[in-house]
Amino acid sequence: MATPHNITEFFLLGLSQNPQLQRVLFMVFLIIYVVTVCGNMLILVTVTSSPMLASPMYFFLANLSFIDICYSSSLAPKLIADSLYEGRAISYEGCLAQLFGEHFFGGVEIILLTVMAYDRYVAICKPLHYTIIMTRHLCAMLVGVTWVGGFLHSLVQLLLVLQLPFCGPNIINHFVCDLYPLLELACTNTYVIGLLVVANSGVICLLNFLMLAASYMVILCSLRAHSAEGRRKALSTCGAHFTVVALFFVPCIFTYMRPSSTLSIDKSMAVFYGILTPMLNPLIYTLRNEEVKNAMRKLFT
């Protein structure tokens, strides 16, 4: 049951209070959001409509594009709209919905990136058994696990916030409702809840990142037995994936692995992993992947 509180809405300070800079931010983030949606939608349509891209790797890539659209949409529209107005109010219920959405899709993406690394490990280290191991049934099950895992992660975050009493002030020094800014507004001791946030967000990010790094170390060691062409193709694919991993995980680890506190750089970190990374993912995967580029050309010819 939620703890009683006398706050019905919060006010987000956003990225800037300068009206001229707000107009610039509005245009910048509107363009980024449009590019994000269009780029990821293009990959989604290309993969689902092209028989050339029927392998598990592209199945996971299509799911990543869909998640990036959802993840960006949980943050960017509110940020864009708030850049036009002085008052940036968000209801208590809307704040909780945004918190749940961003951690839900962020959690799904974290687990999916780990699944994609496992797919590359099997493809490179066990190529003869790849089709036997990575069956359609297993791929669908792994994607289902990512959604369930993201839901459970976000549900824990939401339940932690629901226990907090808010009795004023109600000004959030951020452009999004997130855990650490909300913990600062709670009129109770949040030390234990802060540790739980580190356990549920920071440790999950760190463990997944370490597993990913370990898998790539194994892949790099195994590449010595491959031909020069095989090494080139594997490094191209894995390089694109590890770039995405680094762009997403490093800011997340920085934000959630430390004790409960808010820093001025947190807004920049949130923009990076929540707004920029979903836009960059399609560019990273398509610019380094000839199969995707060829499928796109055929789609438009």
Side-chain angles (χ1 to χ4, degrees), residues 32-53:
I32 289 174
Y33 182 59
V34 171
V35 171
T36 299
V37 173
C38 293
N40 283 288
M41 189 62 71
L42 178 60
I43 287 184
L44 192 58
V45 172
T46 302
V47 172
T48 53
S49 62
S50 175
M52 297 168 51
L53 307 178

Side-chain angles (χ1 to χ4, degrees), residues 9-27 29-30 74-91 94-95 98 172-177 267 275:
E9 62 180 7
F10 295 100
F11 288 90
L12 301 168
L13 290 183
L15 292 173
S16 172
Q17 284 77 55
N18 185 315
Q20 292 182 332
L21 182 56
Q22 283 179 223
R23 286 192 287 272
V24 174
L25 292 174
F26 168 78
M27 291 303 303
F29 288 115
L30 179 62
S74 70
L75 299 173
K78 175 65 176 169
L79 173 60
I80 293 168
D82 286 347
S83 298
L84 290 177
Y85 304 106
E86 290 285 334
R88 300 159 179 172
I90 183 170
S91 68
C95 185
Q98 187 180 58
I172 297 176
N173 186 21
H174 212 299
F175 66 87
V176 65
C177 285
K267 296 181 184 181
I275 307 292

Side-chain angles (χ1 to χ4, degrees), residues 37 66 75 85 91 105 138 188 215 218 222 236 259 271 288 300:
V37 173
F66 176 71
L75 299 173
Y85 304 106
S91 68
F105 296 117
L138 178 62
T188 187
S215 71
V218 174
S222 71
S236 176
V271 167
R288 297 176 63 93
F300 291 105

Side-chain angles (χ1 to χ4, degrees), residues 2-3 29 64 71 73 80 85 100 105 109 118-119 122 125 127 169 204 242 249 263 282 289 292 294:
T3 302
F29 288 115
L64 179 65
Y71 186 37
S73 297
I80 293 168
Y85 304 106
F100 181 84
F105 296 117
E109 181 152 344
Y118 173 72
D119 171 71
V122 176
C125 298
I204 288 175
F242 193 76
F249 276 87
L263 304 176
N289 193 306
V292 175
N294 291 334

Side-chain angles (χ1 to χ4, degrees), residues 201-202 204-207 209-210 248-258 273:
S201 294
I204 288 175
C205 286
L206 182 61
L207 288 178
F209 182 74
L210 292 176
F248 188 79
F249 276 87
V250 172
C252 284
I253 292 171
F254 173 81
T255 301
Y256 293 109
M257 269 304 293
R258 66 175 192 266
Y273 65 73

